[in-house]
Amino acid sequence: MNKILVLEDETLLNEMMSDFLRDEGYEVSSVKTYDDALGLAYEKKFDILIFDVKVIGGNGFDLLVELRESGVKTPCIFTTSLNGIKDVEKGFDAGCDDYLKKPFELAELLIRVKNIIKRNFSIVNKETFIQIDKEFKFDILKKELFCGESNISLSKKERDLLALFLQNRGKILSKEEILSSVWEFDEMPSEQSLRVYIGNIRKIIGEGKIKNHSKIGYEYLV
């Protein structure tokens, strides 16, 4: 389960963001002040930070600079009502990975969270190989499947799918989640193609590895 730290001093927005992300399967710690966020960021390991810029006790820009200077490299999204290009530039100079202007849809926040976690998974995950069974292992960094020492040929979509399933082992992924994660923005997602790709993966690693939950989605069984 990916861990998220939310810093937002508006109580209602803080609760809405935190509850929404928890419902999506993330473990969320939420705070309202600069000092509380700083303390938690040092104490716990998070997969992503979501910082408001104007907060109690300081601002998100300075907070991220302080964390970056101390060696914290966790990806960060700024949420802010500041709309000037200089503010955007200041945010990226501070070391953020994305910038979301208020007001925003929670669905948009989720898309950005997923994309950042997807991009950074292979970097933050120390384990290069994931052992599937006695025969098969998957290089999560290169997205390559091996049987023993032999590289098994997969299409790009099949490699992306297998990587997504392996990093979400034991979790039911909806078809919408899978399609948005594996298909690019300029591609037309296809459930029929998804079934074909999953069928091809099953033929290689075993029919029982990926379970189809009718009308819901798919689960890689632990």
Side-chain angles (χ1 to χ4, degrees):
M1 182 181 294
N2 294 115
K3 298 179 180 179
I4 300 175
L5 174 59
V6 173
L7 168 61
E8 171 57 62
D9 62 1
E10 294 180 28
T11 300
L12 181 59
L13 182 56
N14 185 312
E15 292 176 353
M16 289 175 59
M17 291 168 60
S18 300
D19 290 344
F20 176 78
L21 291 169
R22 289 188 186 106
D23 288 343
E24 292 296 327
Y26 297 98
E27 180 179 327
V28 180
S29 298
S30 62
V31 294
K32 298 180 181 180
T33 72
Y34 183 108
D35 289 340
D36 287 344
L38 183 66
L40 269 183
Y42 283 142
E43 292 170 14
K44 296 179 64 177
K45 179 177 174 58
F46 293 97
D47 297 292
I48 193 165
L49 309 171
I50 302 174
F51 288 168
D52 185 17
V53 174
K54 294 182 177 181
V55 294
I56 300 169
N59 71 72
F61 294 150
D62 292 340
L63 174 59
L64 187 60
V65 168
E66 186 170 349
L67 290 173
R68 293 289 186 256
E69 289 178 347
S70 66
V72 176
K73 299 180 180 179
T74 307
C76 179
I77 299 173
F78 279 131
T79 61
T80 179
S81 56
L82 299 174
N83 293 323
I85 188 64
K86 289 185 178 179
D87 296 309
V88 176
E89 183 179 10
K90 188 174 181 180
F92 283 102
D93 286 343
C96 80
D97 296 79
D98 208 343
Y99 199 97
L100 193 55
K101 295 179 182 179
K102 295 180 179 179
F104 54 83
E105 297 288 338
L106 293 175
E108 183 179 1
L109 174 64
L110 179 62
I111 290 171
R112 298 186 184 227
V113 165
K114 286 182 175 179
N115 284 339
I116 287 179
I117 289 178
K118 178 183 174 182
R119 283 202 312 262
N120 286 273
F121 176 76
S122 61
I123 298 173
V124 300
N125 193 323
K126 301 294 184 181
E127 183 184 36
T128 300
F129 284 97
I130 293 178
Q131 198 71 38
I132 293 176
D133 56 23
K134 292 181 179 180
E135 291 184 290
F136 291 99
K137 60 184 178 181
F138 189 76
D139 187 329
I140 200 68
L141 186 62
K142 297 180 179 180
K143 293 185 179 179
E144 293 181 349
L145 179 65
F146 291 86
C147 181
E149 299 302 318
S150 300
N151 190 318
I152 305 300
S153 178
L154 295 174
S155 70
K156 183 181 183 303
K157 285 288 188 293
E158 290 163 356
R159 289 187 281 114
D160 289 343
L161 269 172
L162 187 52
L164 181 66
F165 282 129
L166 288 171
Q167 70 188 84
N168 289 280
R169 286 167 285 185
K171 176 184 175 182
I172 299 175
L173 298 173
S174 69
K175 294 175 183 177
E176 291 75 17
E177 283 181 286
I178 297 171
L179 293 172
S180 65
S181 296
V182 176
W183 269 255
E184 302 295 337
F185 289 114
D186 58 348
E187 295 180 323
M188 183 65 70
S190 166
E191 286 192 27
Q192 183 176 354
S193 297
L194 174 61
R195 288 193 292 270
V196 172
Y197 292 134
I198 290 176
N200 291 341
I201 295 172
R202 282 171 167 162
K203 290 176 184 177
I204 297 171
I205 66 173
E207 293 290 335
K209 293 289 186 182
I210 301 173
K211 181 177 181 180
N212 181 9
H213 292 267
S214 181
K215 298 181 180 181
I216 301 175
Y218 295 89
E219 177 187 6
Y220 186 93
L221 300 177
V222 178

